[in-house]
Amino acid sequence: MSEHATTPRGAERPGSAVPYALLGLLEEAPRHGYDLKREYDALFHHARPLKFGQIYATLGRLERDGLVALDQHEPGHGPDRKRYVITGDGVDDLTRWLQAPERPEPYLQSTLFTKIVLALLSDRSAEAFLDSQRAAHMLRMRELTALKQRGSLIDGLLADQALFHLEADLRWIDLTQARLDKLRAQVTGSIRP
């Protein structure tokens, strides 16, 4: 399997949510690259839109690593259309990623949001993930507070900046958890066949 629970072998860079988003969409149903792009853009339009080349390059790496497989080829005008399906290893890798809290750092909401949406789409517990993420944030805040107390003024100022970002993340986590039922209804209604 993966060498890191939070980075699939097919990821473009460590921490990238794109391969997992594709795995999550494929877990729901086999899809063509075009359909994956359309559904990704509909669900995660807040993020940078994906180019078709990125979709197919990511699918190629996921296929190479045994996380997705070709389901069928369909002839069309031009190249054959390939339909992909998630493998058992792909489901296992996705499950590990969805259950693992992210390292608390500034500007994390995009990855957190992706995990929450995919958990809701797959009927996994978004609540459990948010609880786990909250605990990881609290641990990091304790570490930063200790650094402030024993470090220099510079250490303290840098720790304060990180603490303020983590506090904002915690407020966002709480707000998101309070709105999960509404988000679940909106997300599951947006791409269901």
Side-chain angles (χ1 to χ4, degrees):
M1 265 335 281
S2 304
E3 59 183 6
H4 303 291
T6 58
T7 305
R9 294 172 292 183
E12 305 79 67
R13 63 186 188 280
S16 175
V18 171
Y20 289 110
L22 299 183
L23 288 173
L25 292 171
L26 288 171
E27 184 181 36
E28 192 172 47
R31 291 184 166 85
H32 298 94
Y34 174 84
D35 297 326
L36 286 167
K37 179 186 175 6
R38 182 177 46 82
E39 291 169 13
Y40 179 93
D41 289 347
L43 286 169
F44 305 112
H45 62 280
H46 67 284
R48 182 176 51 116
L50 293 180
K51 295 183 169 81
F52 281 107
Q54 184 179 5
I55 293 278
Y56 291 110
T58 302
L59 285 170
R61 284 187 291 276
L62 292 171
E63 181 182 15
R64 175 198 68 206
D65 295 335
L67 303 177
V68 302
L70 281 177
D71 186 38
Q72 69 181 43
H73 288 268
E74 295 175 2
H77 302 296
D80 288 349
R81 290 183 48 162
K82 298 176 182 176
R83 190 169 79 173
Y84 294 87
V85 62
I86 192 169
T87 64
D89 285 347
V91 171
D92 293 344
D93 212 34
L94 176 63
T95 298
R96 274 192 297 279
W97 183 74
L98 288 172
Q99 293 172 346
E102 292 294 313
R103 178 166 162 64
E105 21 183 81
Y107 315 112
L108 182 60
Q109 285 80 5
S110 179
T111 302
L112 293 180
F113 183 76
T114 300
K115 283 188 170 191
I116 292 162
V117 168
L118 292 175
L120 294 173
L121 282 173
S122 64
D123 292 324
R124 288 181 175 91
S125 177
E127 294 86 351
F129 167 70
L130 287 170
D131 289 341
S132 172
Q133 190 65 53
R134 183 181 295 104
H137 271 62
M138 297 300 293
L139 175 63
R140 183 66 180 139
M141 291 174 83
R142 285 191 292 278
E143 293 168 352
L144 290 167
T145 300
L147 175 65
K148 275 179 50 168
Q149 293 171 348
R150 69 176 187 277
S152 68
L153 175 61
I154 292 172
D155 290 337
L157 289 171
L158 291 171
D160 280 337
Q161 181 188 29
L163 283 165
F164 294 146
H165 283 285
L166 292 171
E167 287 172 2
D169 282 351
L170 283 174
R171 287 193 305 272
W172 183 85
I173 287 168
D174 290 341
L175 180 65
T176 302
Q177 194 153 24
R179 295 178 175 173
L180 276 179
D181 289 338
K182 288 181 181 178
L183 181 61
R184 181 178 287 111
Q186 186 172 349
V187 165
T188 57
S190 69
I191 67 164
R192 298 276 188 223

